[in-house]
Amino acid sequence: MEFDIATFGCLVFDRATMKKHLPYPAFQKWEDTIERKTALDRSTADAIAHAMKEWAMAHGCTHYTHWFQPLNGTTAEKHESFLDRDEHDAPIMRFSGKSLIKGEPDASSFPSGGLRATFEARGYTYWDCTSPAFIQDNVLCIPTVFVAYTGEALDRKSPLLRSIDAIDRSATRMVNLLGDKQVHKVEPVVGLEQEYFLVDRDHYLKRLDLRLCGQTLFGRQAPKSQELEDHYFGHIPAKVQAFMDDLNVALWKLGIYAKTEHNEVAPNQFELAPIYGPVNIAVDQNQLIMAEIQSIARKHGLEALLHEKPFKGINGSGKHDNYSLVTDDGQNLFAPGEKPMENIRFLVFLSCFIAAVDEYAPLLRMAASTSAGNDLRLGADEAPPAVISIYLGSYLDQLLHGLLHPEDAHGSTKENHVVPPVSTLAYIPRDNTDRNRTSPMAFTGNKFEFRMLGSSMSASEVNTVLNTILAKKLDDVAIQLEGIKYIDQVRSKALTICIDLIKTHQRILFSGDGYSDQWIKQAEKRGLPHIRTVVDSYAILQDDSTIDLFEQYHIYTRKELESRQDVLYSQYEKTLEIESRTALHMITRHFLPSMVESLGKHGSALHVIGTTNAPHYLSTRVKQLGQWIDDLHEKSEKLRIDLKAVMEQSKSDHRKAALLARSTLVDDLTNVRMIVDEYEKNSSSEDYGLPTYDDILFALD
Ligand code: ADP
Ligand code: MG
């Protein structure tokens, strides 16, 4: 396809398309709804639905679906045809406002954490008119929220939408208080960088662990891995380039501004970053990007792995969440401006952000890593540890130092010849972006980049938390500023508050190597929470501070939090159950028989040669194989027994089952892996019988 600008977004029913296809009053009413000025009335909804249907049919669609994001972290759809029977029994293609606005997918099998058990089994979908409808595989997809009969959220979008309202209110209030009265709206904007692996589909199909778990449960590092860093930004293999070209066409049509694509550090690892946009749309588009990556890879004989840690010993994949706030007149509230020291608004937003991240670090850690997969990534092979800290960069470090210690402002710091003294710090060069990639949360010029998020996860929870905790901190400050009469007094009071906030929360600031062991020790000394496994982070959802926060901002009710926690425990435990069953399956059906066969071969050779004449190698191998078979059998039996106990426990208590899975199955899986990996190291490719890391990771060209 030619990349003709006219075709950009041709599969999206966006603002321009709406304007073209709708009667003007209906278009205007829709715009008012987007601005949250009015609710959509029935006749406008009918007009929009009709226009949408005509447009979709012109693109070859016969079906539509309410597209939603249930708690299992995926997206869901149930296709419905436009086809209907009219009053005269004739066929007609019809799409009403009612069908656009509300759906009853009867999706009672999605996890609800018990929310629906006591009420109604049904869940309802409602149109989210702030995210545009689009066409995928000839189906008109309408982004929707998914809620229970009683109104409780059963999805990830509803809380995000509520949090967007919350941060809008609180940030606008603060901006107005600080003198910018013309600002009526503040919107969080987000850029999501997506990392993923590509592997040959033939290899993928031969490995049950890749197929069922998205990661290798067995496998040794290849003789070469990422030590030369020659894959990073390297030449993109032809097969991958062809895939990327197709991907770019698909994203182009979906109106997604795919901006950068490059090889990542690990072999076969790639990254795609679209241009940032309103958070709700960015999160939806990220789901589409993940889906497109997977389906287009298959068309090219490849398989995309979105798992956080598909291969042991090399980098895992994350999703970087670049976050900032913009006003309706286009100002970025995290832009330091030319004179950050005098930019009180910047200082307030910066210090509130720092305070929010410090105070709610466990919540952020939970939201960044809801899945078991990220546990394998965090703290390993160039991924941030599970401790949250913020890296500001030397300019802002100096600026804050100057705020806390004005007496040093003219003093000579070590870096005076590089960085101007704080008092004259009038200009932050445009290239002052972060160079510390070991930090989980880095200030990068005019936004914060949160790098903890797992690659396979929805980005909605993290942004729901960021919006809410920042809203809370801004309101805490606003309360102290309201009622002060003169703007100069407001500003000077705000500065004092900023200084206090930074003093209180400076323990969260860290500029050193976030990957080092010393940092972990120092962080623990500073009292920063280090929640090593994700399953321990779920407890925060029942903490009073969390419940108060979310209830205050109407993001989650106590009951919704309870249900979410239950779903998380259950997902964690189920993930480990699947991994355990897959490992057992591979051991019983493949590895043990393969070892026995190998033993047979070596044993016969030994028998033919005779033990006294046999080379040492042969007798050792026979002994080792016998030992591995016994060990693997024993350890896999333990895994089987522990798995049974977890499954039994999960019938009555998901939390207990998850904790049990963490304390038994994780180690059991490591133990069986160690034996199989040792076998792999010492056996011929033919005996081992599965594609190994060197096959999978160095075969794309
Ligand atoms: P890096 O790999 O250096 O982290 P990239 O250029 O790959 O950076 O990605 C940066 C992401 O941040 C992109 O999605 C970009 O659009 C986004 N971004 C840039 N400016 C802002 C901003 N002000 N607010 C939010 N996101 C932003
Ligand atoms: Mg990044």
Side-chain angles (χ1 to χ4, degrees), residues 387-560:
V387 180
I388 299 209
S389 63
I390 299 178
Y391 172 80
L392 290 177
S394 55
Y395 276 98
L396 288 193
D397 274 346
Q398 294 240 346
L399 181 128
L400 294 193
H401 184 82
L403 272 184
L404 299 186
H405 308 281
E407 68 283 2
D408 285 356
H410 296 281
S412 63
T413 66
K414 260 198 291 186
E415 287 177 289
N416 257 0
H417 54 290
V418 184
V419 180
V422 167
S423 60
T424 59
L425 186 73
Y427 172 59
I428 293 204
R430 290 223 170 272
D431 68 349
N432 174 40
T433 52
D434 154 62
R435 280 176 202 89
N436 183 345
R437 300 210 165 251
T438 67
S439 175
M441 176 77 87
F443 183 76
T444 51
N446 60 6
K447 59 184 160 67
F448 280 94
E449 179 177 0
F450 189 41
R451 302 181 177 133
M452 211 180 227
L453 191 57
S455 50
S456 69
M457 293 172 39
S458 155
S460 44
E461 247 113 18
V462 151
N463 288 295
T464 303
V465 170
L466 281 174
N467 288 339
T468 315
I469 61 181
L470 190 53
K472 166 80 175 127
K473 283 288 139 192
L474 288 168
D475 282 345
D476 287 352
V477 176
I479 290 163
Q480 302 174 62
L481 299 180
E482 259 157 7
I484 301 178
K485 204 162 169 195
Y486 298 107
I487 188 71
D488 280 351
Q489 286 170 346
V490 171
R491 293 164 66 87
S492 94
K493 173 77 178 168
L495 186 62
T496 317
I497 296 173
C498 286
I499 293 172
D500 280 351
L501 282 176
I502 290 160
K503 270 190 193 146
T504 314
H505 297 285
Q506 57 185 333
R507 64 176 188 163
I508 194 89
L509 303 176
F510 176 64
S511 313
D513 179 1
Y515 295 166
S516 69
D517 292 341
Q518 294 95 297
W519 163 236
I520 301 296
K521 281 190 204 119
Q522 200 194 118
E524 282 169 1
K525 238 188 246 163
R526 287 187 188 190
L528 296 176
H530 184 196
I531 305 162
R532 285 172 198 270
T533 62
V534 66
V535 73
D536 285 327
S537 75
Y538 303 155
I540 194 69
L541 287 171
Q542 288 301 301
D543 197 89
D544 284 345
S545 68
T546 308
I547 298 170
D548 289 350
L549 170 80
F550 284 134
E551 290 208 324
Q552 181 186 345
Y553 286 92
H554 308 290
I555 312 293
Y556 295 107
T557 61
R558 180 187 289 267
K559 210 189 290 162
E560 283 172 332

Side-chain angles (χ1 to χ4, degrees), residues 189-193 260 271 273-276 322-324 332 437 446-447 449:
V189 288
V190 161
L192 288 162
E193 301 163 53
T260 56
E271 180 189 294
I275 298 179
Y276 68 96
N322 293 272
Y323 178 95
S324 71
N332 176 348
R437 300 210 165 251
N446 60 6
K447 59 184 160 67
E449 179 177 0

